[in-house]
Amino acid sequence: MSHRRKRGYEDEDGGYRSKKRRTNEHMEIEDRLESLILRVGEKSTSSLESNLEGLASVLEADLSTYKSKILKILIECAIKLPDKCTIYTTLIGLLNTKNYNFGGECVELLVKSTKDCLKSFRWSDARFLLRFMSDLVNCHVVNAGSLLQLLDNFVDAALEEGVPQVRRDWFAYSVLSALPWVGRELYEKKESELDRMLGSLEGYIKRRKKIHHNALRVFKSDHPHPQEEYLDCLWQQIKRLRSDMWIEKHIIRPYLAFDSTLCEALQHNLPSLVPPPHHPSTLYPLPTVIFRMFDYTDCPEGPILPGQHSIERWLIEEQLRHILMSNHTERKECAAQLLSYPLKNKIPLEYIIVEVMFGEIFRLPTPLCLEIAYGSILIELCKLQPSTMPQVLAQATELLYERIDVMNKTCFDRFVNWFSYHLSNFQFRWSWDDWDDALSQDPEQPKAKFILETLLKCLRLSYHQRVVELIPETFAVFLPDKPAPNFKYSVDGPYAGSEETRASANLMAAIKRKCTSEEVLSLLKQELDPATGEEDITDGVFNPTKIDVFIQTLLFLGQKSFSHSFAAIAKFHSVFKALGSTEEAQICILRSVFQLWKTHQQMLVVLIDKMLKTQIVECAAVANWVFSKEMVPEFSKCYIWEIVHLTIRKMNKHVSKLQKEASEARKRIEDSDSDSSDSEDESRGRRKNKPLERPTEEQVEKLEDKMESAQADQKNLFLIIFQRFIMILSEHLVRCDTDAVDFKTPWFQWTVGRLHQIFMIHHEQVEKYSTTLETLLFTQDLDPNILDVFHQFVALRM
């Protein structure tokens, strides 16, 4: 008996092992198939055609067992590897000739995936899938008539009334961007239907509003290169392609080699796909402007740069942009991929790469990646291609500098950031003498300001003596002040012998003795309170002298580094809170910090950021301080707007965090309620996956109250900032009108540029309050020079 039982266990164990072995083998084959599919089209000793033929035979043999896996991989390739679109369509075409049912299932899955992408707002994925399905017409997998029906559905969505223009634009752009692949085939088989569809699109493109165009331009001027709106530009490129009989010489089309085989295959009709209706909560891709900085005259002898309206220019830029976005987190790999672009010998590759890179750096409203990612990739490109890339980049920098007078102010900041970072990686070497025209300019003029702000950023990335050494003596006027604290309570300073200086000396001695926060408050009260001895922090009254002495003394002691200052702030946090109990007192704190560190911009930015994070000062106080009269000389400097943006981001982050907490807590209550109505087994299973306890209704309401309070603060912050902008700009316009002088002074250009920048950088948050802003601030009686900025912002999502 025991022997038989033992044998039974062995049989069971053997069965388990056999099953495990089969599973492992199954997974290994799936991995091998995935590797073969992903790698097809890469460099190989065999031709692409023979590789495709061999792969099609391998996949056909495995279709009976691994069909669903193969389909899934091909759909992922269509989305994630759009540059190899024609390779995978050819592969599907070859499989369709061998197995008609597989071709049908593939087409159905493509349409289903496109629907899913549209429903989940994965706009780029949906566009790549539409292109893929279009190219299947060339491989005789999809019937041309059924593709035209699908494209017509997209065109109908572009012509739909009563929906945002950004939605209509996306559908129009998707159709146009598929035509380079399939235009010739449709022209040959369905010319009249294609012409009718293009006529509908042309009518839409001519009718659409372009109020947003000026908001997204890098340069205000179209000389020497026009800054075209993206849909207009692609339409012109498609028109040129159409006039060339839909023939282009850029797309690799491996299916041409198999035409005799593919043309015998039965074709499939695409299942019906009607775009989902618009919903107010849907976010569509924002419009863009095509950045141009080179034409064929800028490139030396060699391959000619395709014209701005040639479809080849769009195809190359589209592919380079995809390489950049797919690899931007790995700068070395990204640079290598860009430089190994397949058709590099037919085009001036370095020029197009640099133009695409700067187009992404300057993309408005915000770049798709961190700015430093682009800078680090450009450095790698210079290292990999040292004979040409540095020269092209230097030429680009010169061209940007020459056009800086008409550059958007947001792009100006990004240009400063990129150039200073780039210099810091190449020993700060630059031919500064070529820019001596800036020496005779007003310091507020863009060229002079660019050099000054670049050197200030270089100072952050180096040290003062290094910056002194890197520029010619003639440029000394642009040299930043040496960063040093301006401590006004020193024994030989301007307040020598005063009670403030004596109080500061006593406070310094007490801090060095490691006194407590209570002792500091007591000392300040004893030394600097009015003789009556009454408490000064009551009913919003505060003592500015006390604040100034405390801030100047404490931060002077912490001058050695950011860490020393942070430690001082942390130790005496309660003193800061006690002294800065009102907004006026917080503005006084900021004023004292500025007076101490006005020659050290980075220290100011870092300290104010720290004070916001530790809630020593509120966001509204920072906004009011920036627009105060004593900050007028600093108003156009870049660091001030760095402070404004970090303040807004701090508020946005706070609101976002509270929104997430409140919605998660509310969801836990709802899930808990639904669990209680389920069976006991189901609810027990769910509870295992949910370690978080069910919050009470009271706790959730408290969270929601906090969230609403934060949203009110956020709205108030934007109202303060925009109201101050309107006030100072309106005052300037009235003053210029009274004095009969041109209002377009450098100050006006910078200030309007900064207003535009707030709208652009924080467009997602400001958009929530656009109705309030229109009702309270940006009313129709406002000067058009100010109101236009608001209208351009609103038009972004119209």
Side-chain angles (χ1 to χ4, degrees), residues 161 176-177 237 252 271 314 341 429 441 454 472 520 527 577 620 639 650 663 750:
E161 297 292 339
L176 290 176
S177 66
Q237 289 162 331
I252 298 164
W314 180 83
Y341 181 68
R429 285 186 304 223
Q441 286 190 352
T454 297
V520 167
E527 296 271 358
K577 294 293 281 182
Y639 85 96
K650 164 75 176 62
S663 65
W750 286 111

Side-chain angles (χ1 to χ4, degrees), residues 571-632:
K571 182 171 182 181
F572 295 104
H573 185 260
S574 58
V575 181
F576 280 100
K577 294 293 281 182
L579 294 175
S581 57
T582 64
E583 187 175 299
E584 291 82 358
Q586 290 170 19
I587 291 172
C588 192
I589 289 174
L590 292 165
R591 197 177 294 134
S592 297
V593 174
F594 170 71
Q595 287 168 355
L596 179 70
W597 282 118
K598 60 183 167 187
T599 61
H600 196 333
Q601 293 182 0
Q602 189 178 14
M603 183 65 89
L604 279 172
V605 172
V606 169
L607 288 178
I608 291 170
D609 183 44
K610 188 68 174 177
M611 288 180 174
L612 282 165
K613 284 175 178 170
T614 52
Q615 298 180 344
I616 289 168
V617 295
E618 298 297 324
C619 296
V622 176
N624 280 316
W625 168 70
V626 165
F627 285 92
S628 62
K629 279 192 167 56
E630 60 263 28
M631 295 306 290
V632 168

Side-chain angles (χ1 to χ4, degrees), residues 324 328-329 331 357 369-378:
L324 174 62
H328 70 273
T329 54
R331 65 183 193 280
M357 291 294 288
C369 311
L370 291 174
E371 284 177 52
I372 199 167
Y374 304 113
S376 61
I377 292 165
L378 283 168

